[in-house]
Amino acid sequence: MTTPSPTADTGAELLPIATPARTRAALRTLIRPDRGLALTGIGILVAATAVGLLVQPLLGRIVDIVADGRPAGDLTLPVVLLVAVAVVQGLTTTLGLTRIARLGETVLARLRERFVERALNLPADRLERAGAGDLTARVTGDVARVAEAVRSALPEMARSVLAILLTLGALALLDVRFLLAALLAVPVQLLTARWYVRRALTLYADQRVANGAQQQQLLETIGGAVTVRGHRLEEQHTERSAGRSRKAVDLTMRSVNLVLGFYGRLHIAEYIGLAAVLIAGFWLVRDGAVSIGTATAAALYFHSLFGPVNAALVLLDDAQSAAAGLARLVGVTDLAEQPEPAAGKPAAGKAAPASVPRQRIASPEAAVTVHAVSHAYGPGRPVLHEVSLTLEPGEHVALVGTSGAGKSTLARIVAGVQQPTSGTVTAPAGTGEHPVVLVTQEVHVFTGTLAEDLRLARPDATDADLRTALSTVHALDWAEALPDGLATVVGEGGHRLDPARAQQLALARLVLADPALAVLDEATAEAGSAGARALERSAEAALAGRTALVVAHRLTQAVAADRVVVLEAGRVVESGPHDELREADGPYAALWRAWSGSRTAAPHP
């Protein structure tokens, strides 16, 4: 289960946060495959801690030998045993902590993989409602907090808890009255822990939300810097960034004050416990119930508890912060597993209908069937209204319409990137790993060699396959002209590819993936007028022999299509070949006249 999505002061509907019970369940699921490693590591740490508990009785033995005035030779055995204990404890502790650390890193890697996998499958409209800042904060800050806890807090917590339990047992073995005296500190420690936990979990969750809102504001300000300057909004955006930064700083200072109060209460507990053990030792030695060495060992035992007790309680700080981060990560993974509810209003007492999953079939009758598909990005924000559409095998269909008509939304639904609010989409199953591929105008060039970037679509592709794909989209000449050819590093920090070449790279990946259905969402829009013709030829070559749905940025793409579908306000208003629609003098003819007129009026270079 997840808690309802909180709303940041940006007005965005943030991604949900998992409940504590769901977070614990997810953690158990992550650890389950490595139960053996966990049990082995804990067992070795138990042995290491037990061996370490021999130090205090051996020191007490030395005190008794000295107090009784025995020969110096009697000190040899306890001293040798102390050295042996140190060596054995050091070796076993290292081995146990290594296994616990390996467990933590394995679980962390599994968590990261699952988070990335699920985050990539989140519905696009859900991400738009949350804003990029919330997801960015979870990917960076929350993952970092959990990683820090796994690498440092988990091994130390395991060792501390074992040391506390075994040390208390050792005190009882010396004399149960020492244990009772030591336990006087426990009520103060428990009250301190309760006081801290009740405040920390909410505080750290609020802090993470505030950090997400701060990042969202920074992303919006920096990403829209040109618009901000153009409208003279620098002061307003600066004030918004400063306000959200102040809120984040205020929450950070509150957490610092909370930790300081936590430490102060722990010191009081230490004083109470140590004083009680020393007083108990004084009375027991005076009555002859124990020796001075035994009382010394008891005091040393309690003193040795300072470290593990304080570490365990202090690690609550890391644990609470990590728990808050883990709950936010689990909230995202759970959201990706659940279907998005319909945006319309459900009947009272009934859940909103879930999005209908895509069906993949290999039908010779139709490559794609869209039946009564509707979609809304929120209540009162419908984008598509019962759109029905059929693409025959091998047919190229161009989607045209004015901005906001719903073209990109329909393209994403057909591609399976986004689920419809209602209706069904039947698409081909295909024979390859990627039956449907979507290429948009927002193309990312991944950091790595050009060959690695291409092999994202087909990892087993040979260099000859890569060159064939590049040649298909007319990109082989410039690719081989790069400094190191296919081995040239591209992307962030590498050789820069202009928008037209980046788009050709995406089209080459489409060729390598060899899908039964290709969806192009204004895939030639970023080339600019100079490279538009060349890029359109590349797209045409990449689509040859496969069914295609093309959101046309330029109506030359509609001319080349087998059929044109015109969308207006989320509805199909016309469908047919270019020549037929142009002569019908309907919405498409108006679009054609406007487009061709602007091209005629445009000055020639």
Side-chain angles (χ1 to χ4, degrees):
M1 293 181 60
T2 56
T3 58
S5 302
T7 301
D9 56 6
T10 59
E13 181 186 347
L14 301 183
L15 296 169
I17 300 174
T19 62
R22 175 66 193 115
T23 303
R24 290 191 295 270
L27 185 59
R28 287 194 296 270
T29 301
L30 290 169
I31 295 176
R32 189 174 295 120
D34 297 291
R35 288 190 300 259
L37 183 61
L39 293 175
T40 303
I42 292 174
I44 295 174
L45 284 180
V46 168
T49 305
V51 170
L53 292 178
L54 296 174
V55 171
Q56 288 82 356
L58 289 172
L59 291 175
R61 179 63 177 170
I62 292 174
V63 170
D64 283 337
I65 290 173
V66 174
D68 294 342
R70 298 178 190 177
D74 290 352
L75 295 174
T76 303
L77 180 59
V79 170
V80 170
L81 290 176
L82 281 173
V83 174
V85 165
V87 173
V88 173
Q89 185 185 25
L91 292 175
T92 52
T93 298
T94 300
L95 181 59
L97 290 178
T98 299
R99 290 184 173 272
I100 294 296
R102 183 181 302 169
L103 170 68
E105 290 296 333
T106 302
V107 171
L108 178 62
R110 191 174 295 123
L111 172 65
R112 280 174 167 164
E113 291 169 1
R114 184 169 300 181
F115 177 81
V116 171
E117 177 186 356
R118 303 287 170 75
L120 290 174
N121 290 320
L122 285 176
D125 52 332
R126 187 64 183 86
L127 286 178
E128 289 174 2
R129 295 201 303 270
D134 186 31
L135 185 61
T136 301
R138 298 187 192 217
V139 172
T140 55
D142 292 322
V143 170
R145 290 295 179 92
V146 174
E148 182 181 357
V150 165
R151 290 172 179 149
S152 58
L154 178 61
E156 187 63 29
M157 176 68 82
R159 186 171 63 173
S160 297
V161 170
L162 290 173
I164 292 168
L165 295 176
L166 293 179
T167 301
L168 291 177
L171 277 172
L173 289 176
L174 293 179
D175 193 295
V176 71
R177 286 167 287 189
F178 285 127
L179 175 61
L180 296 176
L183 291 179
L184 291 177
V186 172
V188 179
Q189 291 168 335
L190 291 179
L191 289 173
T192 298
R194 182 184 177 190
W195 171 85
Y196 175 77
V197 169
R198 292 176 63 181
R199 290 162 175 78
L201 189 58
T202 302
L203 179 58
Y204 284 124
D206 291 344
Q207 191 175 356
R208 301 308 305 153
V209 171
N211 288 339
Q214 181 188 30
Q215 290 195 31
Q216 176 67 30
Q217 182 60 48
L218 291 174
L219 287 171
E220 290 179 353
T221 301
I222 295 172
V226 174
T227 303
V228 170
R229 288 195 296 268
H231 290 274
R232 300 294 188 269
L233 298 175
E234 295 93 339
E235 186 175 346
Q236 295 179 24
H237 277 259
T238 300
E239 181 56 34
R240 288 178 189 172
S241 299
R244 287 175 187 144
S245 297
R246 283 193 296 269
K247 184 173 182 179
V249 170
D250 178 64
L251 288 170
T252 300
M253 293 308 301
R254 284 173 57 188
S255 67
V256 170
N257 291 330
L258 182 66
V259 171
L260 291 176
F262 178 68
Y263 277 116
R265 287 167 171 78
L266 288 184
H267 292 327
I268 295 174
E270 291 174 358
Y271 174 81
I272 293 173
L274 183 58
V277 170
L278 290 174
I279 292 172
F282 171 78
W283 287 104
L284 291 173
V285 170
R286 193 186 67 171
D287 294 343
V290 299
S291 67
I292 295 176
T294 301
T296 301
L300 291 174
Y301 270 137
F302 186 81
H303 189 272
S304 70
L305 281 175
F306 286 7
V309 168
N310 287 349
L313 293 177
V314 167
L315 286 174
L316 287 173
D317 181 63
D318 293 333
Q320 292 303 311
S321 181
L326 182 60
R328 284 162 55 83
L329 297 178
V330 173
V332 172
T333 61
D334 283 355
L335 178 64
E337 291 177 334
Q338 300 167 358
E340 277 288 283
K345 294 182 180 179
K350 296 183 179 180
S355 299
V356 180
R358 294 166 48 81
Q359 307 169 27
R360 296 194 180 277
I361 62 172
S363 171
E365 299 178 356
V368 180
T369 300
V370 179
H371 177 67
V373 163
S374 297
H375 190 72
Y377 288 109
R381 296 174 57 197
V383 178
L384 297 176
H385 303 273
E386 297 188 352
V387 173
S388 294
L389 177 66
T390 299
L391 279 72
E392 299 297 334
E395 184 182 22
H396 290 184
V397 174
L399 279 179
V400 301
T402 58
S403 178
K407 305 184 299 297
S408 294
T409 300
L410 181 58
R412 289 199 298 266
I413 290 174
V414 171
V417 174
Q418 192 163 307
Q419 297 293 340
T421 300
S422 63
T424 59
V425 177
T426 303
T431 57
E433 184 181 352
H434 308 284
V436 181
V437 169
L438 170 68
V439 180
T440 70
Q441 61 178 315
E442 299 174 355
V443 175
H444 183 74
V445 178
F446 294 87
T447 300
T449 66
L450 182 63
E452 290 171 342
D453 206 306
L454 287 166
R455 286 194 176 98
L456 291 171
R458 203 173 92 203
D460 61 346
T462 64
D463 285 354
D465 294 331
L466 303 185
R467 289 188 173 89
T468 299
L470 289 168
S471 177
T472 300
V473 298
H474 313 295
L476 183 59
D477 290 342
W478 65 255
E480 291 187 331
L482 293 175
D484 297 311
L486 293 178
T488 302
V489 175
V490 295
E492 188 71 26
H495 187 90
R496 182 181 178 276
L497 299 182
D498 61 40
R501 290 183 175 182
Q503 197 65 255
Q504 284 182 312
L505 180 60
L507 291 171
R509 286 199 293 257
L510 185 150
V511 172
L512 287 168
D514 193 22
L517 170 64
V519 180
L520 270 58
D521 184 6
E522 298 189 351
T524 63
E526 292 296 325
S529 57
R533 287 290 186 184
L535 199 51
E536 285 175 9
R537 286 195 297 270
S538 297
E540 184 177 352
L543 298 179
R546 69 183 93 252
T547 307
L549 180 66
V550 179
V551 177
H553 177 70
R554 294 175 175 83
L555 290 189
T556 50
Q557 296 170 291
V559 174
D562 299 315
R563 183 158 50 100
V564 179
V565 173
V566 183
L567 285 181
E568 277 190 5
R571 291 181 171 86
V572 175
V573 294
E574 275 190 312
S575 177
H578 162 74
D579 292 335
E580 180 182 311
L581 295 183
R582 189 180 60 176
E583 294 174 1
D585 200 25
Y588 180 75
L591 287 173
W592 177 262
R593 285 194 297 270
W595 182 77
S596 57
S598 65
R599 287 173 58 83
T600 303
H604 294 283

